[in-house]
Amino acid sequence: MDDDVKEVLAALRREAFFWRAKQATKDQLLRPLEDATSGTEREAVERAFAASGFRDKVKAFAFLRLRSMRPGTQDSPSVDWARRQWSELLLQRLQKLSQEQRQPFLRRRPKPLTSEDNPGKPREEEVSTRHIVDLNSLYNLITRDLRTRLARDSSNRPGAMPALGSEMSGIHLRSLEELRLRYGELAPGYGHLGVWRPSNSWAEVPELPEARDARAEAAKLEMKRRRLGQKLLVNAYPAELQILARFGVSPSLRREVWGACLGAKHGAALQEAARGICEWEWLTDDVLRLDVAEHCANDVSYFPFDELVEALVLALSRDPQVSKLCESGSPQIPIVVGEAVAQRGPALSEAVVKDTAGEGEQFLPPSGVVPFKGFSNYACPFAFLSDRLETAYPLFRGFYCRHLSRLHSISGQAETLVTLCGLFEQLTAQAAPRAVQHLLALDTSPLRYAFHWIVTGFVGCLPAEQILHLWDRVLGFDSVELVPVLAAAVFALRARLVLAARRQEEVQLLFADVSCVKAIPLLQAFLFGSDLGVDPWDLFREVNGQIPDGRSTVLKEHHVGSVGFWSRSFSASDVVAMRRTPTRRVIDSRQPPEELLSPKSTMEVLTPKATLDPANRRSRLHYTCRIEDGFSPTNFLPSVTTPGTKSRALDDWRVGEGSRIMNYLQPKKYRPMSLYGEAFQGKWNTDWHDVSHISALRQKYPWARESIELKALPHPEGPNAQEIRRNRNFGPSHGADKCVRGMIRCGSLCMIP
Amino acid sequence: MSDQLRKHVGSQRDHPPWKDIKFRCAFHNTIYDVLKSRGFRETENEMDFDLFWCDKEWIHEVFDHIHLQAHQRVNHFRNHYELTRKDLLVKNIRRAQRQALKDGQLEEAQGFAACSPTTFVLPLEYSMFVEEFKKQQANGAIWIMKPVGKSQGRGIFLFDKLSQVSSWRQDPKWMRIQKEGEKPKLRNGDEEEEEKKEAEPYVVQRYLSDPLLIGGKKFDLRLYVLVTSYSPLTVYLYRSGFARFSHARFSMDTADLSDAMIHLTNVAVQKHNDHYDEKRGGKWDLHSLKMHLMMTEDPKKVHQLFEDMQNVILFSLLSVQKVMIQDKHCFELYGYDIMISKDFKPWLIEVNASPSLSANTVTDYEMKFALLDDVLTVLDFEKYLQGTEDQIGGFDVLYRNGVRVGPPATAAYRSRLGCCNNREEQLRRLAQHLAGEERNRTPPPPSAVPGRRRR
């Protein structure tokens, strides 16, 4: 802690305003005061410091500085491997693109763009380019390749696929309970902007009185929040403003509040980037332009801002500070172009994946982040914050570096892509286990549909207003965890429909359009619905303004009541499981009971091994399975045979009951014989005598075989009296030559088994 | 979305009322879909209809010669051109303004004056225009010429020198070719004679050289207004609407004056742009616009702007109220074109009596479908409503029985325009309310008595 303080102090000393603040404090102290007598010297200094007017600034600076000094975690080797893999893939694709386009990574613009260069008209020349990489390959890398690798590395659990996140980097994923605590302020008891739409504030329309009250309340709340926000902005202290943002920011204050929270300053970087754009041309520029044209310019709510968004994205890609500023480290291992390229920009396309750039070397592109398809989505909502590039860019850069970069960075840090995906998987498995299993049986997974929600932070999937509300909370809670939580909530919202889907395409269709989702109410319903002891989705409907008729009064008490009023009953997954099936099966739970899993099952332990029955008098259950150990339909890895592992009933519980091969239930055709068994009692002839001469005879005279076979099947001792009676009409004497369905044919006899 | 009304109110009635409603429709676009989806019956009969969604020609040619029954409705007023023709609108507004001044109602006069920029009707007021032009020339004012009878941006041009206009005026041959090449559709018997005497009527307006730009582009707004009667004046304003964007970045360079892509936002013009994208159609939801303005500008100013827009609509309708021939069979759905200048003042550009009802995108279709559905709900063929509702679907009452209907004085929001369109929820609530009223008023019909259910 002391080290932190020292470091913050050292950073403060480098700032000019610190010395000015010191000077001002000194001046204050020297000024004669009326009540100079009261208090100690330290208090006097404190008072003077407060009066100097610099306190808020110093406080804000220290807060931001402390924030940036959070300790990181160590990467695990397999995540490191994926990180490098990703960068190498990018480099490879870039080189290919460069060859196709006949364009070097960096070149001087043949004709520098000037500001007079027909600003009104759209660009004339048609540039044809393509995306470097799309989200699909990122998805494959994260799920398939990384998992395979991980499974190969750690051979302790050969049967199951490793879960994303926790097992990889050792980072603890929050469970639903912990999320509830962490995001307690999201609970419906608090006043939230973005829950009631404030546009319906006054209404003479005949409507239910409670709805009218709530509406009027929402308008009042909005006013109250705006006033509060304005008060807080006077001496902007980021910590306070972040708490404000947890409950939603009034739209007119959003720009200032975000700016203060992010500590965004107008920098010279933008100027430099603008100059760079006019003179130099990176290979990625056209790719970014294409991306903007495809995503921003095609979106119903963002298309007027395509030029602004283009400028934002290009400026970000030119900003050399981005990779340093990103809080979870650079989103990828940057690609460094050699000195020669940076100097002259020749037709060389030499580059290496390297972590640091040396003297005269540069990242490609300077920000170190190679854009994937859909990258420009990040910039779109910022067009709603400001029309001007100068004000929008610091916000964009700040927000990108703090939060958005985490959404696509592969690293072992907390709250990066891998852990976010892991969190999503864990939450969906907890909240909608049956739907997850159903998808697995369809050979897909929930993450496949939610992946682009997570990576783009829902931009392009939700309307702009909802995104801003969501990002308010992301900023306020200082965590992007809410993005996968919302994704899981959307999945859970549609879980019932998922269960009805029969093909992958149908599932795809289900999740293709989620634009009707209201982000904050859904989050509340997901996180706190079960805490209220009501059906979470009823709550969601209620919050959305659709009041179920009979229950509205009951709900209202919960709704406006204080936090302490709630009674804890069941978790979300409990509610779901209880509703779907009357009796809860083991297979419905997130984690099957320990004793049903190999290799150390209780059953094994309880089974007497050797000592109790030295003469082997009692037959013991043997669960030798006939299929190779470690086999499971989801596991395509070469199996690692470990002696002593036996597959158990619930080893493959993830796959779902339907697709499990029930090898543990199927009896064997052969049995160990014991003298105390039925053979001892002389049931079968062959138990007593050597009958090999009889079989030799049968071999010799095949015509005699029929009756023997008849006798032998299905019971060697021949049909018993009941069977004979049952089958009396089906003997060959009645002409029953054909085998009727449902019967067994034994030689010339048709039998009802 | 009359389903809610049907479910709640209609279930108490014996016979579904919508099955008896017959319509004719001259168009085969969204309106036809809406009429069909409500369950109305289409009829081929010339005269036996409850609702005829006709084109303007029919009104001019047929309407005067027929007699309609009390229940029959037609979607145009007989002399709607008083409002929708640019020159007549200007004339009417100016007259109303004079009248208001004479009566000493200064505020009202200002309201009328604020409706549209300085405008002259050309062949008649040429000398007045020249005087004004010379006065303004020092400011570098730019003027815009619009032909009176044409739509979709045809024949519009910008100029900043008088010579550009005078040459146009003294070239009758060019004029004639132009005139014969595309005959103006809107033409009455006596109007035609007038036109023969005059040169082709044009309106010249001070061009709005500093429009509000979003993302560097110019836009105008299309709002929908439903007038069900002119005396007493009853006006409904639709909450949604859209902003149409020009494709290119806006600039006031003189070299660009002839570039239609920059200055005209009509979809018909923008469609010819190479980069025109079919999918989004350059239309931006009014709600998005309001949200964006709220975030980037002072919210007070934005609220004031939307209130002003409402005023412009209302004053333009008030100015023609006296002139318009009231007919209880008629109603009209207007498409208002409004532009916003940099100082957050709305300017009325034009009023369309038959706004385009064909949609070019899915969202556009949904929006227009909802709009027309609400129009039919307001017209209330099924006799569900009581006539005192302040909001019906997406429509808010603006003016009823000669009284302006507005928010309470303490309300934070002065106008519902551009607010979130909560029409479905509102209709549901309205239906529940009406059903309750109906239940209270009348004893339950025999069919509702349990145990004796009648088919």
Side-chain angles (χ1 to χ4, degrees):
Chain A
M1 193 61 211
D2 286 341
D3 290 344
D4 289 353
V5 172
K6 264 178 209 155
E7 208 173 320
V8 170
L9 267 179
L12 260 177
R13 290 216 178 86
R14 286 195 289 274
E15 296 291 322
F17 73 84
F18 173 73
W19 299 105
R20 251 181 280 134
K22 213 166 170 185
Q23 186 64 43
T25 313
K26 248 184 224 165
D27 290 350
Q28 280 292 332
L29 268 180
L30 293 178
R31 192 176 300 165
L33 288 171
E34 293 95 49
D35 54 344
T37 51
S38 68
T40 59
E41 190 181 343
R42 186 187 171 84
E43 278 169 12
V45 172
E46 265 171 21
R47 259 204 311 280
F49 184 39
S52 71
F54 275 97
R55 194 171 69 167
D56 298 315
K57 204 166 179 189
V58 172
K59 234 163 87 179
F61 179 84
F63 176 77
L64 288 173
R65 183 76 201 171
L66 260 180
R67 227 191 139 275
S68 65
M69 289 189 324
R70 281 188 196 164
T73 43
Q74 276 298 317
D75 284 10
S76 75
S78 44
V79 177
D80 255 351
W81 169 83
R83 192 170 152 84
R84 182 154 290 276
Q85 201 71 7
W86 178 240
S87 284
E88 259 151 29
L89 175 77
L90 287 173
L91 177 59
Q92 208 180 329
R93 296 283 178 90
L94 273 172
Q95 277 165 344
K96 208 167 143 208
L97 181 69
S98 162
Q99 278 168 9
E100 268 176 36
Q101 299 284 113
R102 300 169 188 285
Q103 184 186 343
F105 287 156
L106 175 67
R107 70 175 176 201
R108 196 177 278 279
R109 231 172 238 294
K111 189 185 71 164
L113 282 182
T114 54
S115 53
E116 294 91 46
D117 199 13
N118 55 12
K121 303 204 176 60
R123 230 165 274 101
E124 296 300 326
E125 76 265 39
E126 284 288 320
V127 180
S128 69
T129 182
R130 58 183 180 79
H131 293 292
I132 298 169
V133 68
D134 59 355
L135 286 184
N136 228 352
S137 30
L138 184 57
Y139 174 75
N140 284 340
L141 178 75
I142 289 282
T143 54
R144 199 190 55 205
D145 300 349
L146 187 55
R147 265 183 211 196
T148 315
R149 168 100 187 168
L150 198 67
R152 204 187 308 151
D153 282 357
S154 61
S155 53
N156 51 356
R157 279 192 59 186
M161 284 297 256
L164 281 174
S166 58
E167 292 177 25
M168 287 179 188
S169 40
I171 288 172
H172 173 65
L173 294 180
R174 290 199 173 90
S175 70
L176 200 53
E177 304 287 323
E178 288 164 301
L179 285 173
R180 256 179 218 144
L181 286 180
R182 165 99 215 262
Y183 299 104
E185 277 116 325
L186 267 182
Y190 297 98
H192 271 276
L193 296 185
V195 175
W196 290 100
R197 276 163 289 170
S199 49
N200 299 315
S201 56
W202 46 270
E204 308 93 307
V205 193
E207 57 183 351
L208 299 178
E210 59 225 81
R212 185 159 44 206
D213 287 350
R215 260 140 230 270
E217 209 123 288
K220 251 186 253 162
L221 182 71
E222 215 261 334
M223 297 275 268
K224 219 161 70 185
R225 281 291 149 71
R226 195 185 314 152
R227 237 172 279 137
L228 179 64
Q230 276 159 350
K231 214 190 289 170
L232 287 179
L233 275 173
V234 173
N235 35 23
Y237 182 44
E240 284 170 354
L241 286 171
Q242 277 187 347
I243 291 171
L244 178 78
R246 290 178 188 185
F247 301 101
V249 183
S250 169
S252 52
L253 294 180
R254 194 166 273 147
R255 181 174 49 200
E256 284 123 61
V257 172
W258 284 30
C261 285
L262 295 167
K265 280 174 286 186
H266 304 263
L270 185 62
Q271 300 280 334
E272 219 163 85
R275 216 175 304 125
I277 289 171
C278 292
E279 277 179 26
W280 294 90
E281 194 179 354
W282 285 88
L283 182 63
T284 49
D285 285 0
D286 281 333
V287 180
L288 278 172
R289 289 201 183 100
L290 172 76
D291 196 42
V292 171
E294 269 186 16
H295 287 95
C296 170
N298 257 339
D299 194 295
V300 184
S301 40
Y302 306 118
F303 73 86
F305 307 112
D306 54 349
E307 288 172 14
L308 177 67
V309 170
E310 187 182 311
L312 280 175
V313 177
L314 282 182
L316 189 80
S317 82
R318 301 304 183 98
D319 200 331
Q321 284 176 306
V322 165
S323 62
K324 269 172 254 151
L325 285 174
C326 280
E327 288 192 357
S328 58
S330 171
Q332 66 187 67
I333 305 176
I335 297 166
V336 176
V337 289
E339 191 174 351
V341 185
Q343 287 297 315
R344 283 174 279 124
L348 288 171
S349 51
E350 285 171 2
V352 280
V353 176
K354 212 159 70 165
D355 230 335
T356 49
E359 197 63 31
E361 290 178 331
Q362 236 176 341
F363 290 152
L364 162 70
S367 67
V369 186
V370 179
F372 50 86
K373 185 180 174 190
F375 184 80
S376 62
N377 272 331
Y378 291 142
C380 290
F382 291 92
F384 272 94
L385 293 183
S386 169
D387 243 355
R388 300 159 56 79
L389 184 62
E390 302 89 274
T391 44
Y393 182 68
L395 286 179
F396 176 48
R397 191 177 77 165
F399 200 79
Y400 174 81
C401 290
R402 188 179 285 191
H403 296 300
L404 295 177
S405 62
R406 291 170 182 275
L407 294 177
H408 61 261
S409 59
I410 307 174
S411 83
Q413 305 277 341
E415 289 175 28
T416 53
L417 183 59
V418 179
T419 39
L420 293 178
C421 288
L423 181 64
F424 171 78
E425 286 196 328
Q426 181 186 311
L427 286 177
T428 46
Q430 198 173 348
R434 299 240 305 166
V436 174
Q437 279 162 22
H438 185 77
L439 280 192
L440 286 175
L442 287 178
D443 204 15
T444 81
S445 75
L447 187 60
R448 169 162 299 172
Y449 307 100
F451 191 68
H452 77 276
W453 299 339
I454 295 175
V455 174
T456 58
F458 276 100
V459 185
C461 311
L462 293 183
E465 202 175 358
Q466 298 303 319
I467 289 186
L468 290 170
H469 279 311
L470 176 67
W471 287 10
D472 272 349
R473 271 64 173 192
V474 166
L475 192 70
F477 288 104
D478 209 350
S479 153
V480 281
E481 262 177 353
L482 283 173
V483 175
V485 173
L486 180 61
V490 174
F491 182 81
L493 181 67
R494 303 245 161 121
R496 219 178 265 200
L497 297 171
V498 167
L499 282 175
R502 295 200 179 160
R503 281 174 297 133
Q504 291 188 14
E505 291 81 27
E506 289 174 11
V507 185
Q508 189 122 37
L509 216 61
L510 271 181
F511 293 111
D513 182 22
V514 293
S515 59
C516 56
V517 162
K518 303 277 172 293
I520 304 307
L522 184 61
L523 271 179
Q524 290 180 339
F526 184 72
L527 285 176
F528 302 102
S530 55
D531 257 358
L532 294 175
V534 295
D535 187 340
W537 307 124
D538 268 355
L539 181 71
F540 176 57
R541 260 169 255 133
E542 149 90 4
V543 171
N544 251 344
Q546 307 165 5
I547 299 154
D549 291 342
R551 317 178 57 176
S552 52
T553 44
V554 186
L555 273 172
K556 205 182 146 204
E557 293 174 355
H558 284 291
H559 192 63
V560 291
S562 63
V563 191
F565 189 70
W566 302 339
S567 61
R568 167 95 180 79
S569 56
F570 295 104
S571 75
S573 61
D574 287 340
V575 170
V576 171
M578 283 192 301
R579 197 178 43 195
R580 296 258 165 74
T581 50
T583 52
R584 204 173 158 194
R585 299 163 308 170
V586 206
I587 202 160
D588 286 329
S589 66
R590 151 88 178 129
Q591 201 69 44
E594 189 69 22
E595 69 267 19
L596 289 176
L597 281 173
S598 51
K600 285 272 173 65
S601 68
T602 335
M603 209 184 279
E604 191 94 347
V605 172
L606 290 178
T607 314
K609 281 276 156 55
T611 50
L612 285 181
D613 191 14
N616 254 356
R617 297 189 165 202
R618 273 187 285 166
S619 67
R620 261 170 42 195
L621 293 171
H622 286 285
Y623 288 94
T624 35
C625 72
R626 285 165 301 118
I627 310 175
E628 194 188 358
D629 270 351
F631 170 84
S632 94
T634 48
N635 182 9
F636 41 83
L637 302 171
S639 67
V640 189
T641 39
T642 346
T645 49
K646 294 161 187 175
S647 69
R648 286 280 181 268
L650 291 178
D651 269 1
D652 305 318
W653 63 277
R654 279 168 202 265
V655 196
E657 201 178 31
S659 39
R660 197 185 323 126
I661 297 176
M662 305 169 84
N663 48 29
Y664 51 91
L665 291 181
Q666 213 164 43
K668 274 182 296 189
K669 293 243 177 76
Y670 48 89
R671 307 172 277 182
M673 271 187 43
S674 118
L675 287 180
Y676 300 99
E678 53 189 359
F680 179 70
Q681 287 155 26
K683 199 169 184 188
W684 294 349
N685 241 8
T686 50
D687 289 343
W688 290 103
H689 304 287
D690 180 15
V691 288
S692 55
H693 62 285
I694 301 179
S695 55
L697 272 177
R698 282 176 190 156
Q699 287 282 321
K700 220 169 175 182
Y701 305 105
W703 48 266
R705 200 182 297 156
E706 191 183 328
S707 62
I708 292 168
E709 275 184 3
L710 209 162
K711 274 187 148 184
L713 282 169
H715 303 293
E717 68 268 25
N720 56 22
Q722 192 193 1
E723 277 172 331
I724 292 170
R725 198 179 59 244
R726 221 196 286 153
N727 286 298
R728 60 185 181 277
N729 292 331
F730 297 98
S733 60
H734 290 260
D737 230 354
K738 274 181 286 181
C739 188
V740 189
R741 204 143 57 128
M743 298 182 188
I744 296 175
R745 179 159 187 167
C746 308
S748 59
L749 261 187
C750 273
M751 292 187 59
I752 299 175
Chain B
M1 197 58 58
S2 53
D3 305 346
Q4 295 292 344
L5 284 168
R6 282 179 190 173
K7 203 171 89 194
H8 288 92
V9 189
S11 62
Q12 299 172 14
R13 302 184 181 175
D14 283 344
H15 186 69
W18 60 88
K19 290 212 168 151
D20 291 338
I21 296 166
K22 286 165 276 187
F23 75 91
R24 283 181 68 198
C25 185
F27 300 92
H28 255 281
N29 47 28
T30 319
I31 178 65
Y32 185 78
D33 297 349
V34 173
L35 287 165
K36 274 289 193 192
S37 78
R38 277 183 90 97
F40 296 174
R41 266 192 302 132
E42 190 175 10
T43 173
E44 294 297 315
N45 195 319
E46 284 282 302
M47 288 311 302
D48 180 29
F49 55 81
D50 292 287
L51 166 67
F52 183 21
W53 200 279
C54 61
D55 44 12
K56 284 182 278 188
E57 284 80 12
W58 187 86
I59 286 286
H60 302 308
E61 286 159 15
V62 186
F63 191 65
D64 287 334
H65 313 296
I66 57 171
H67 176 73
L68 291 181
Q69 304 289 323
H71 61 91
Q72 294 181 307
R73 307 298 297 265
V74 172
N75 74 323
H76 284 296
F77 279 96
R78 195 174 312 204
N79 55 348
H80 63 85
Y81 44 81
E82 292 284 351
L83 181 64
T84 55
R85 254 179 60 161
K86 291 156 194 149
D87 53 342
L88 294 178
L89 175 64
V90 169
K91 212 187 286 176
N92 285 321
I93 286 181
R94 224 178 281 162
R95 185 174 49 225
Q97 187 186 349
R98 271 201 304 275
Q99 186 64 38
L101 272 182
K102 208 186 285 173
D103 297 348
Q105 288 159 322
L106 214 60
E107 261 180 46
E108 228 171 88
Q110 272 169 357
F112 283 121
C115 277
S116 70
T118 322
T119 312
F120 300 95
V121 183
L122 245 214
L124 289 178
E125 303 172 333
Y126 186 72
S127 50
M128 281 165 71
F129 161 63
V130 171
E131 202 174 304
E132 183 70 21
F133 182 90
K134 281 179 180 153
K135 224 186 279 172
Q136 300 280 349
Q137 203 167 18
N139 307 342
I142 291 174
W143 298 78
I144 184 167
M145 288 276 272
K146 300 179 193 169
V148 163
K150 286 182 206 149
S151 60
Q152 301 195 319
R154 273 171 298 189
I156 294 181
F157 62 93
L158 270 61
F159 63 94
D160 57 347
K161 294 190 194 70
L162 207 50
S163 59
Q164 287 160 314
V165 187
S166 41
S167 66
W168 159 80
R169 195 175 169 240
Q170 286 152 10
D171 192 0
K173 198 188 280 174
W174 178 86
M175 212 166 63
R176 191 155 302 144
I177 292 167
Q178 170 95 3
K179 204 170 159 189
E180 276 162 18
E182 33 185 320
K183 278 182 187 158
K185 280 183 184 170
L186 180 142
R187 197 173 278 183
N188 251 344
D190 45 6
E191 243 186 354
E192 208 163 20
E193 280 171 28
E194 265 181 21
E195 275 184 20
K196 263 176 204 160
K197 282 187 295 203
E198 300 169 1
E200 187 182 10
Y202 262 71
V203 161
V204 61
Q205 271 179 348
R206 176 77 194 273
Y207 187 63
L208 210 61
S209 53
D210 55 343
L212 184 68
L213 302 182
I214 285 185
K217 283 167 207 145
K218 184 178 154 175
F219 66 95
D220 75 342
L221 298 178
R222 164 56 63 91
L223 307 176
Y224 293 96
V225 176
L226 177 68
V227 177
T228 52
S229 134
Y230 268 101
S231 89
L233 184 62
T234 307
V235 184
Y236 294 85
L237 176 61
Y238 201 63
R239 284 186 176 194
S240 311
F242 52 84
R244 295 174 296 188
F245 279 79
S246 70
H247 197 85
R249 196 165 255 283
F250 182 77
S251 81
M252 277 313 291
D253 272 352
T254 33
D256 288 334
L257 281 190
S258 56
D259 191 346
M261 294 296 167
I262 295 178
H263 293 285
L264 300 186
T265 50
N266 300 48
V267 173
V269 173
Q270 294 292 330
K271 213 156 46 183
H272 300 301
N273 193 314
D274 296 338
H275 300 273
Y276 182 77
D277 189 350
E278 283 290 323
K279 258 195 292 184
R280 61 186 152 86
K283 288 176 183 173
W284 208 35
D285 187 33
L286 190 64
H287 181 57
S288 300
L289 174 79
K290 190 170 187 180
M291 193 173 73
H292 177 254
L293 290 179
M294 290 287 255
M295 276 184 218
T296 48
E297 306 288 341
D298 181 15
K300 265 187 210 146
K301 251 163 72 181
V302 181
H303 287 313
Q304 186 61 42
L305 168 73
F306 278 81
E307 197 194 347
D308 285 348
M309 281 203 270
Q310 229 170 265
N311 286 341
V312 164
I313 289 167
L314 201 54
F315 277 115
S316 67
L317 287 170
L318 283 172
S319 73
V320 295
Q321 189 196 0
K322 301 271 166 55
V323 196
M324 214 54 109
I325 305 168
Q326 165 62 13
D327 192 324
K328 61 179 183 303
H329 303 299
C330 301
F331 68 95
E332 208 152 32
L333 178 68
Y334 295 110
Y336 268 73
D337 290 348
I338 286 179
M339 274 189 59
I340 302 171
S341 59
K342 229 176 209 128
D343 50 348
F344 278 71
K345 253 177 84 70
W347 297 99
L348 177 61
I349 302 299
E350 199 190 343
V351 186
N352 287 300
S354 49
S356 160
L357 296 180
S358 46
N360 55 355
T361 63
V362 179
T363 43
D364 198 24
Y365 180 83
E366 275 165 8
M367 185 249 156
K368 278 173 178 158
F369 192 98
L371 166 78
L372 291 171
D373 197 40
D374 285 347
V375 167
L376 296 182
T377 311
V378 171
L379 293 175
D380 195 23
F381 288 101
E382 291 103 330
K383 305 273 179 300
Y384 287 137
L385 306 181
Q386 295 171 324
T388 53
E389 295 83 2
D390 285 340
Q391 187 194 349
I392 300 162
F395 276 110
D396 296 299
V397 175
L398 205 56
Y399 205 83
R400 183 162 52 202
N401 299 334
V403 183
R404 182 161 184 177
V405 181
T410 53
Y413 301 92
R414 307 294 304 166
S415 161
R416 287 198 194 103
L417 191 62
C419 285
C420 199
N421 195 346
N422 62 340
R423 54 185 292 276
E424 288 186 26
E425 189 196 332
Q426 197 276 335
L427 279 176
R428 195 169 49 78
R429 250 186 281 120
L430 183 63
Q432 282 170 353
H433 175 77
L434 288 176
E437 295 275 307
E438 190 151 311
R439 228 175 288 131
N440 292 341
R441 204 171 49 241
T442 58
S447 64
V449 176
R452 248 192 82 219
R453 190 160 293 168
R454 199 171 56 187
R455 287 234 142 183

